[in-house]
Amino acid sequence: MVKESKFNPPWWLSNRHLQTFWSPLAPKLSLPELERQRISLDDGDFLDIDWLNPDKNAPTVALLHGLEGNLDSPYLRRMLFRLNEIGWRGALVYWRGCSGENNPSSKTYHAGRSDDLEAVINAISPNSQPLFIAGYSLGANVLLKWLGEKGRDNIDVPIKASFAVSTPFDLSICADAIDQGFSKIYKHYLLASLKKRIIKKHSQEELLSLLNLTPKDILLINGMREFDQRISSKLNGFIDADDYYIQSSSRPLLKYITKDTMILHAEDDPFMTPEIIPSREELSDALELRVSKHGGHVGFVQDIDKKGNSFFLEDTILDYFRTKLS
């Protein structure tokens, strides 16, 4: 099902970059103390989860962050803040290396790591019912890929429903789109963070052994596709960037999804182009795709409060999850 989103920004906030930039500039919301859980992976690595209200008997929402996301990401803090207000449990899942501690494996997190999500669900679902999942950007792609793989293999998943925001359905399109025009500002920010992470984690000898690159070589990388070609693909068992994009993109798997899922997407997302939006024929009956003309990337800023925060996105996600509780 494809519907037009109800999102309608004020006229002065319809620009896609303003939508994307607004939330990071708003004051940081305060949160209660979170409880950390570590999950061991079969390959010797680990994932960390920060729990909100871990001891409550209440619906649980697992949050999957985007590229270089963490607890300081505004969209995650807003959702945890809203979850705390309504007394639900929250589980912020950190991808490999994103919780503040280097992971022991040379592997990195990436947009296709549905096996890591599988490990998370297996670890938390027995004590987290009803369980919902909200994925953002890269995390949304991981979520939809995992759901599609499970549906294709006729395997049920222990969740009530899921929600995907600003999904990079086709990673190749995203790698090229973010290198165009004003969107380059996002590329430079994300690349700088990714390069710093790799250089900080590995010695020069390790970088030469793993990648045949020096720290200087890495600093000179100038595009997401080049980074994925020279680093992401090599560290994670892909032939090259194209192989990584083909194997990891969620778009071909959307038709197999059997669990109720809503997808929210903006046509003006600066991380991608409108051609990335799936057609009705590519969607399974379990999917509802809501598309808005405006909204930017994980923006959807509307009805701003006195402190500069907008909760349209969070309330939309939670309203959808509430409809699945009965």
Side-chain angles (χ1 to χ4, degrees):
M1 182 186 302
V2 180
K3 289 185 176 181
E4 184 176 351
S5 169
K6 296 180 181 178
F7 175 70
N8 185 29
W11 65 267
W12 55 271
L13 201 54
S14 59
N15 179 275
R16 61 180 183 165
H17 300 298
L18 285 177
Q19 279 286 324
T20 305
F21 277 127
W22 183 272
S23 293
L25 298 178
K28 184 184 293 186
L29 291 165
S30 61
L31 296 174
E33 186 174 350
L34 305 178
E35 183 176 307
R36 179 151 293 188
Q37 175 188 3
R38 177 157 293 182
I39 295 175
S40 297
L41 302 175
D42 290 341
D43 61 4
D45 219 325
F46 67 84
L47 296 174
D48 286 332
I49 299 174
D50 276 351
W51 282 94
L52 172 75
N53 300 326
D55 299 323
K56 282 195 173 183
N57 181 19
T60 302
V61 180
L63 306 177
L64 312 180
H65 66 77
L67 191 64
E68 294 299 272
N70 55 48
L71 184 57
D72 286 332
S73 299
Y75 58 92
L76 297 174
R77 294 188 76 89
R78 286 199 313 270
M79 180 56 95
L80 290 170
F81 182 85
R82 231 17 166 203
L83 288 170
N84 192 53
E85 280 191 326
I86 64 174
W88 285 21
R89 303 168 80 222
L92 170 51
V93 179
Y94 293 98
W95 302 125
R96 299 183 190 222
C98 294
S99 64
E101 181 178 339
N102 285 333
N103 54 310
S105 170
S106 61
K107 297 177 182 177
T108 64
Y109 77 99
H110 62 74
R113 281 219 177 278
S114 50
D115 52 337
D116 283 2
L117 178 54
E118 173 80 1
V120 168
I121 300 303
N122 288 340
I124 71 174
S125 62
N127 301 311
S128 304
Q129 294 299 330
L131 175 61
F132 301 97
I133 307 179
Y136 304 83
S137 193
L138 177 146
N141 188 79
V142 176
L143 169 61
L144 296 178
K145 178 175 180 284
W146 176 72
L147 290 169
E149 290 168 342
K150 291 300 182 182
R152 179 194 60 196
D153 298 337
N154 295 313
I155 300 174
D156 193 23
V157 293
I159 67 172
K160 271 284 188 179
S162 63
F163 202 110
V165 182
S166 301
T167 310
F169 304 99
D170 186 320
L171 300 174
S172 181
I173 290 177
C174 293
D176 294 334
I178 203 172
D179 203 23
Q180 304 296 319
F182 189 81
S183 294
K184 288 182 180 179
I185 193 170
Y186 309 111
K187 178 197 73 172
H188 291 309
Y189 170 78
L190 292 170
L191 265 182
S193 182
L194 288 167
K195 291 188 286 188
K196 180 181 178 181
R197 182 186 298 277
I198 291 294
I199 293 172
K200 183 178 179 180
K201 178 178 178 179
H202 298 288
S203 67
Q204 179 162 309
E205 291 73 20
E206 288 173 331
L207 291 174
L208 285 169
S209 175
L210 291 167
L211 301 167
N212 195 29
L213 297 174
T214 66
K216 183 178 180 181
D217 294 329
I218 292 174
L219 289 173
L220 290 174
I221 290 175
N222 194 42
M224 293 303 299
R225 184 178 287 274
E226 182 185 1
F227 184 89
D228 290 333
Q229 175 74 21
R230 305 182 73 182
I231 295 180
S232 301
S233 61
K234 297 298 184 289
L235 292 179
N236 296 294
F238 298 104
I239 298 172
D240 53 22
D242 287 335
D243 184 45
Y244 163 45
Y245 298 154
I246 291 170
Q247 291 199 47
S248 300
S249 294
S250 61
R251 188 169 188 165
L253 294 162
L254 299 177
K255 60 187 175 183
Y256 299 112
I257 294 176
T258 58
K259 188 60 63 173
D260 287 347
T261 299
M262 182 176 289
I263 301 171
L264 182 62
H265 200 88
E267 291 181 357
D268 67 353
D269 192 316
F271 282 48
M272 49 202 94
T273 60
E275 69 177 307
I276 205 171
I277 300 173
S279 66
R280 189 183 305 272
E281 291 71 30
E282 293 177 276
L283 305 177
S284 75
D285 292 339
L287 292 178
E288 180 178 333
L289 172 60
R290 291 188 180 180
V291 180
S292 62
K293 293 186 180 300
H294 307 290
H297 188 72
V298 196
F300 302 100
V301 181
Q302 178 181 305
D303 301 326
I304 301 167
D305 64 21
K306 293 181 180 179
K307 294 184 178 180
N309 290 296
S310 166
F311 292 94
F312 173 87
L313 179 56
E314 292 68 40
D315 293 341
T316 299
I317 295 172
L318 291 173
D319 285 347
Y320 177 69
F321 288 163
R322 287 189 184 97
T323 67
K324 304 301 177 180
L325 281 174
S326 57

